[in-house]
Amino acid sequence: MEPERASPTKRPTDADYTTEPDDELPAELTTLPWIDVHNHAHTLSWNDRERFALSGCHEMVMMAAAYYWTPYKPVAPEDVRYLWDDALNRLDPIRRSHVFDASLGIGIHTGARVENVEELLDVMPDYLALDAVQAVGEIGITGSQHVSRWELDAQRTVMREQLELAADYDLPAVVHTPPNLDNVDVPYRERGPIPGYELNGDLQRESVIEAADTKRAATELDVELAEEAGLPDEQLVLSHADRDIAPFVLENTDAYVSFTISYPWLLGVTARDVAAVIDEYGPERVMMETDSAGILRSDVFSFRRAIFDLYRLGIEVETIREVVYENPRRVLS
Ligand SMILES: [Zn+2]
């Protein structure tokens, strides 16, 4: 049947076949400020950092320790100090050059074993006392290390001591939870090194965690250690959250989950997962992060896209604002 013509054009247009959207789009979708609680933007380019500003980033915490650094040698305390000092040196120029606020996370990542780690723990308080440092991170029990295994007992000690420092200095802890890549179709994974990741996966050691679900086991340990260390759950941010770990965290603790949405090609996490968790548990302890770093393919604009997607998935603007701005602001203050 011929549709009733709604357009004066000679040829039929889409207008004849579609209906007008009911609601006016809220202007806030394009202007909502957001805070990235976990990235490594000091390892990106100037243009990449400008993209943060262009897409509405108001504040970020750059983690001065992580996987972007690939040690093919025993890691000494001075190697980690170099990362911390380098990030500190980068901070002021970055703040002067861009229209977002930036601060640092300082921590000992257990993604690669560090020798004589006590030397680092001894000087860490001097770093945490700096105004530039707004978080301890990224830290967190890790199943599989790069190059050299770090046994679980030793990891627990390093993790607990850092969480104690976070409590002493009244800082939030940004905690890496091991990614679960089982259900993700990572491109070319069967052919060795992954093109999107400048890390030799062949050097990844066998996991030190004996559990069917490494992510769950590591996260449970992190939560337990935070309690032992006297760090309130409200200062605990569990990064790289997914739909499987969120229920454990949100049902059993008062900690936050933060979803890494800038490289779904590796983690398989998108705004759809964030929306599903908000629908089920509410927005009060949900956040998003980019975790973007110079070592892997990630997309800074993904954050703003995720805001659009959350809206399209039925999340109200005010709720999105809580997730992307109010929650991280509360944790960082
Ligand atoms: Zn990270």
Side-chain angles (χ1 to χ4, degrees):
M1 194 182 79
E2 276 285 301
E4 202 176 312
R5 299 292 300 274
S7 164
T9 56
K10 186 156 170 59
R11 294 174 59 80
T13 72
D14 277 357
D16 295 329
Y17 299 92
T18 54
T19 49
E20 286 293 309
D22 295 337
D23 303 321
E24 234 174 80
L25 285 170
E28 293 89 333
L29 279 179
T30 54
T31 58
L32 265 183
W34 51 274
I35 297 174
D36 191 3
V37 284
H38 177 170
N39 70 33
H40 309 270
H42 59 298
T43 67
L44 301 173
S45 70
W46 192 97
N47 288 356
D48 290 327
R49 283 187 291 275
E50 193 196 31
R51 288 186 183 100
F52 275 91
L54 288 170
S55 53
C57 179
H58 177 66
E59 187 178 342
M60 64 170 66
V61 191
M62 306 185 293
M63 300 298 144
Y67 283 123
Y68 63 82
W69 142 71
T70 56
Y72 296 101
K73 55 178 177 143
V75 182
E78 51 266 35
D79 296 325
V80 179
R81 287 282 291 273
Y82 168 76
L83 295 175
W84 294 352
D85 294 345
D86 189 49
L88 270 168
N89 281 326
R90 299 284 303 117
L91 184 64
D92 279 345
I94 288 172
R95 289 169 61 111
R96 277 198 300 273
S97 201
H98 298 283
V99 298
F100 50 72
D101 193 14
S103 60
L104 295 182
I106 291 285
I108 305 160
H109 198 319
T110 50
R113 188 172 60 82
V114 182
E115 297 182 333
N116 306 319
V117 70
E118 303 75 25
E119 285 179 32
L120 279 176
L121 290 165
D122 285 347
V123 294
M124 219 170 125
D126 298 338
Y127 285 82
L128 300 184
L130 301 172
D131 280 344
V133 178
Q134 290 297 316
V136 172
E138 68 183 285
I139 58 175
I141 297 289
T142 312
S144 166
Q145 281 75 42
H146 202 61
V147 182
S148 173
R149 295 175 99 207
W150 204 338
E151 293 307 327
L152 200 50
D153 273 349
Q155 276 195 62
R156 290 165 77 121
T157 307
V158 176
M159 179 65 177
R160 190 189 301 108
E161 289 193 29
Q162 293 188 91
L163 291 164
E164 281 170 7
L165 286 172
D168 289 349
Y169 286 81
D170 198 21
L171 293 170
V174 176
V175 174
H176 165 106
T177 63
N180 181 1
L181 307 181
D182 290 350
N183 301 320
V184 186
D185 185 19
V186 178
Y188 315 114
R189 180 152 62 174
E190 67 286 358
R191 290 165 67 184
I194 304 166
Y197 204 164
E198 295 164 6
L199 184 83
N200 185 350
D202 295 341
L203 292 177
Q204 212 58 26
R205 302 290 102 173
E206 210 179 307
S207 179
V208 296
I209 297 176
E210 281 175 38
D213 185 344
T214 303
K215 190 179 192 74
R216 171 69 181 260
T219 307
E220 283 184 23
L221 268 175
D222 291 331
V223 168
E224 206 178 288
L225 290 166
E227 196 172 327
E228 284 176 30
L231 183 74
D233 279 2
E234 294 76 19
Q235 284 167 244
L236 192 60
V237 178
L238 295 157
S239 277
H240 316 312
D242 61 19
R243 239 193 263 204
D244 297 325
I245 202 66
F248 163 71
V249 177
L250 297 173
E251 287 170 19
N252 297 288
T253 78
D254 289 318
Y256 289 82
V257 285
S258 188
F259 291 79
T260 309
I261 40 80
S262 82
Y263 47 95
W265 66 270
L266 181 64
L267 297 181
V269 169
T270 68
R272 199 173 282 279
D273 301 292
V274 184
V277 169
I278 294 172
D279 280 338
E280 178 95 26
Y281 295 97
E284 292 80 9
R285 289 186 285 129
V286 177
M287 296 191 220
M288 300 198 299
E289 67 198 11
T290 69
D291 191 29
S292 51
I295 195 179
L296 88 172
R297 173 149 51 88
S298 64
D299 178 12
V300 170
F301 287 144
S302 62
F303 206 109
R304 178 62 66 187
R305 281 199 200 95
I307 290 175
F308 299 159
D309 287 344
L310 288 176
Y311 180 76
R312 292 187 182 110
L313 290 163
I315 309 292
E316 300 286 342
V317 169
E318 273 317 301
T319 306
I320 300 173
R321 185 184 168 88
E322 265 191 76
V323 169
V324 304
Y325 185 69
E326 303 294 351
N327 292 346
R329 199 168 70 146
R330 184 165 59 245
V331 170
L332 291 172
S333 66

